[in-house]
Amino acid sequence: MSLLKRRRPWIARQGIVRLGTANPFPLKTPGMIEWAIFTDRLTRVYRRPRSRRAAVPANEAAKELVALDQVSLSVRPGELFGLLGTNGAGKTTLIKILTTLLAPTSGVARVDGLDVVSQAALIRPRINMVSGGESCGYGILTVRETLWLFSQLYGVSHAEARRRIDHMLEVVSLRDRADTKISHLSTGLRQKVNFCRGFITDPKILFLDEPTVGLDVTAARAIRAFIRDWVRERPDRTLLLTTHYMMEADQLCDRVAIIDRGRVLAVDTPAALKKRVQRYPTFRICLTPGADGWQSLGRVPGVHQHAVTAGPTAIDLKVSLEAEAVIGDVVQQIAGSGARILTLHKVEPTLEDAFIELCGHGLSDTEIGE
Amino acid sequence: MRQHLRAIRAATWLGWQIESNWTDPWLFFLYLVLKPLCASLLLWCMFVAARSMSAAVPGELLPFLYVGNACFMIVGGVAFGLSWVIISDREHYQMLKYIWISPLPLRSYLIGRALARSLQSAVGVVLTLAGGWLLLPELRSALTWERLDGRWLVAYLAVGVLMLGAVGMILAGAVLNLGRHSMLLSEGIAGLIYLLSGVVFPVEVLPEWLRPLCFFLPTTYWLEGVRRALMGGTTFGRALEGWSHGDLVSALLLSTALLLVVAHAVFRWNEQRAWRQGRVDQTTGV
Amino acid sequence: MKGAALFLRAMLARTYPRIIGTVRMPSWLLQETLLPLLSVSAYVFVYRAMNAPEECTGFVLLGGAMAAFWLNVLWSMGAQLYWERDSGNLELYIIAPCSMMAILGGMALGGMLLTLTRAAVILTAGSLLFGVRYHPSSWGMLAVVFLLTMLALYGLGMVFASAFLLWGREAWHTVSLLQEPVYLLSGLNFPVRAVFPPPVAWLASLIPLTVGMDALRQVLFPPSQGSGPSIPYILGLEAELGLLAVLSLAFLFLARYSLGHLERRSREEGRLTVRWQ
């Protein structure tokens, strides 16, 4: 107790940390995976200064703000893992803790098997971080000089740094601006330089916080493709990505954690998450106006639910079934009653549907101040 | 007019928050007192050290330089506060672009922000003079109610604020078209004014070839006038011996009128230039 | 990569923007030479108005040159972390495997080029303009005193820098607040003992600038110089050298401790990434 108090006085003062308890998830036991990123009941509480408490409405003026609440996650080496959540959900707080920028209030966080509190210095050579929408370095330096500067902080040799810088500038189509001063670049181009900075140190574990935010469609697409290739290139590379672009998470990530108000609500592959929201296969059928074959659909065996929207030009029918094969009987029933089917297609769930189902609100509905 | 006043009021409030809300009031008060007082006491230390080494040190120099140094704070607050606002709002807070596109008149906003800094300087001047009065017997005998000429002091302060505001506006305009290191310009002008306006020594100590420059600076007349209004009659300097209060104020009024016209034109021209060259939202940080 | 090699690499890399900045923005040179010369000249004329002995002009020039190092320590090391945090670089330095001492060392080294230029210009141009002559009792001693003063001063600068990890605008103002009182206590333009009683002078000797300048004055203006005035000093030269050595070690150790301690506290309180504070 006294040792911990000396090392982490603030945490000990709060009395939140579980002092002396054994880790229920030992990092590595024979036959078990060594996680690239591992958190167990990780919590971060921000204390509001008294002065700031007075500035917010009484119902919000709590002494503390729980940014992360008992977050438990395990990311395998080689995995491209996504964190999906609204602004203020706790994604950036989690990244800050994992990149040794912020201390947890309680719980455990390990990166490449090392504790973020006591072994921060050992973690740093293995990681890097890119925050989207930000730039790095000094306006007076050129793009190449900026990237060289940051490579030196990681001890990369000059020749290797040069090779990596050239490669990365090629990836983000900035080769022709290599000798332009940062102060002369647009915001988007500065962001690209910052993106390159994250990769030139060849980290084992990379944290990308909204990497494509603010970039144009072509640049974002190129960056997504590069991210995917970078992880696949070597099996020991791991990437943790936060985003609020559903499509990005769906396209890139092996697994996704949905995080809301500091809590992890679900962790699974994007496909499995989507499947969760749609237990019953759903079809959308469009009929000619005035048709009435749909009225007896409820009596067809295997039809779970159906809903109708009648418009002046067509009737829109949404049918969920207990099994996909039942669609044949449904079509037969409609055709038999004399109605004409204009279109028919299967409704695929999106990650956004899964998000709404789990959180109870969309990505743009809620913003929580940190 | 109402819009201008509203802009000034809002900007003054904002300026005061930026200047003061970084700490507890007591530390802010300490900051307000200690910094200027120490800068002025540094001159007192030089005076004491010189006296310990030479018997020829004139005693009446101490009130001259102490009061001059204290009053120079107003020059700094008003004249250089404006250009500092441009730099901090553009480079640090990155708010200048939003002010630019808002219906607030930029000039009024700048005046408001500078007003907060000037208020801080004015408080600094009063506290420095009060501190000096309490600590230094030489100053106690020089600053008395009998010697104080309130009416002329008000006149000098009123014209002085206008004159320094005009200088500040010219500098702010220039800084609008320069980078972060354009504070160099303000600092350079401040250094020149400090050296050539007879702030801490009479201008006749300067080499002969430099002296004519002193009489081109309105600050020379302003400082001489304020010193006379505070300490009564003539002061240690002999260069403006033959000038009455009326002469000094007339010279100040004339130069202030000229400066105001120039400031208006220079600022307007620089505003247009900054807009054309895209410098309103440039950041040049390194 | 070995710790020492990484330290050196990181330090030299952080030196680079400062050096290249000087080359690409020559206005800095103007700012660092001409402007200080203006204020130094003003102080020289103050002594002239007082009919003070010629040595006093030398004190002003020495003070002007040494103030350059003090300002570099305050603003280019301490306060620089405030700008680094606002521009988003601080967090990148923190998560990098190199030591923060290397980053700060790089800032100091980079700033040293400009500072040395500034100090040299003040001393040479000032001496030429005002006809000051120096008769150092020993060049070797002069170099030792100067180097020890620098070590102690930059150690103190690193302590300030660590404070910036925790405090933002507050630290900026605190450093600004320190500027003039330190000028006053360290005897920027005058011998401390000629003004302050011994207890105040001894207390002021805890600031490396005070004891460093006092020792430099002893070497540059030795009493054997002839019919000059007798100048009182805080301690003897050897004692001041000893004190400087102790201060250098103490501040460097304190810097190492406080950087680690305050970085940890900043991480706990989440202050490393707060901006526009």
Side-chain angles (χ1 to χ4, degrees), chain C residues 86-124:
Chain C
D86 268 5
S87 57
N89 287 328
L90 181 63
E91 58 193 66
L92 304 179
Y93 289 144
I94 296 281
I95 66 162
C98 63
S99 138
M100 262 316 264
M101 294 270 280
I103 302 288
L104 289 169
M107 288 178 185
L109 202 65
M112 191 69 103
L113 173 81
L114 269 179
T115 312
L116 276 173
T117 315
R118 174 176 173 157
V121 167
I122 290 173
L123 279 178
T124 47

Side-chain angles (χ1 to χ4, degrees), chain B residues 1-270:
Chain B
M1 189 62 196
R2 185 173 288 181
Q3 200 183 14
H4 283 278
L5 286 175
R6 195 178 299 141
I8 289 173
R9 199 180 56 190
T12 310
W13 173 83
L14 176 66
W16 185 254
Q17 291 299 316
I18 290 173
E19 297 296 331
S20 66
N21 79 357
W22 52 273
T23 187
D24 300 329
W26 68 267
L27 188 61
F28 177 63
F29 181 74
L30 200 70
Y31 181 78
L32 222 54
V33 181
L34 213 57
K35 206 173 150 63
L37 191 63
C38 285
S40 291
L41 285 180
L42 188 67
L43 292 162
W44 168 76
C45 288
M46 289 170 70
F47 178 80
V48 174
R51 270 208 158 166
S52 76
M53 287 181 263
S54 158
V57 180
E60 62 273 33
L61 180 64
L62 184 63
F64 175 93
L65 61 85
Y66 192 94
V67 172
N69 197 59
C71 292
F72 186 76
M73 276 180 239
I74 295 187
V75 180
V78 182
F80 311 115
L82 282 163
S83 40
W84 172 247
V85 173
I86 297 269
I87 297 201
S88 71
D89 269 28
R90 185 173 57 188
E91 306 266 343
H92 181 56
Y93 296 109
Q94 295 175 14
M95 283 296 293
L96 191 69
K97 55 189 174 205
Y98 302 119
I99 302 294
W100 187 278
I101 62 165
S102 77
L104 281 187
L106 180 64
R107 235 175 285 198
S108 310
Y109 171 78
L110 290 177
I111 290 169
R113 285 287 306 275
L115 211 59
R117 263 180 100 90
S118 310
L119 274 176
Q120 196 183 334
S121 323
V123 174
V125 174
V126 172
L127 291 174
T128 307
L129 288 177
W133 193 87
L134 284 171
L135 294 171
L136 313 175
E138 292 91 340
L139 214 65
R140 262 200 299 280
S141 56
L143 291 173
T144 58
W145 284 115
E146 295 76 45
R147 290 187 177 202
L148 180 76
D149 198 333
R151 276 174 307 177
W152 283 114
L153 184 65
V154 171
Y156 284 118
L157 287 178
V159 187
V161 166
L162 276 180
M163 179 261 291
L164 295 170
V167 173
M169 209 45 105
I170 294 171
L171 281 170
V175 164
L176 205 50
N177 281 294
L178 298 166
R180 175 186 283 178
H181 296 282
S182 53
M183 271 321 279
L184 158 81
L185 183 73
S186 302
E187 285 169 23
I189 304 279
L192 276 175
I193 292 180
Y194 193 72
L195 184 69
L196 299 175
S197 299
V199 180
V200 282
F201 53 85
V203 289
E204 54 270 26
V205 178
L206 286 168
E208 215 158 313
W209 58 272
L210 266 178
R211 276 179 229 165
L213 284 177
C214 307
F215 300 107
F216 275 109
L217 294 175
T219 40
T220 308
Y221 305 97
W222 183 71
L223 278 163
E224 176 69 14
V226 172
R227 250 192 302 240
R228 278 192 205 176
L230 278 170
M231 302 195 289
T234 54
T235 59
F236 183 72
R238 297 281 171 265
L240 294 169
E241 217 169 16
W243 290 58
S244 66
H245 275 306
D247 297 338
L248 289 172
V249 170
S250 306
L252 270 173
L253 277 173
L254 200 70
S255 50
T256 303
L258 190 72
L259 273 171
L260 282 171
V261 174
V262 173
H264 177 74
V266 167
F267 191 82
R268 205 183 160 85
W269 183 80
N270 273 301

Side-chain angles (χ1 to χ4, degrees), chain A residues 48-68:
Chain A
R48 278 202 177 108
R50 200 180 297 272
S51 56
R52 219 181 297 164
R53 264 180 256 160
V56 294
N59 56 342
E60 292 172 27
K63 280 183 192 167
E64 296 178 334
L65 175 82
V66 182
L68 282 183

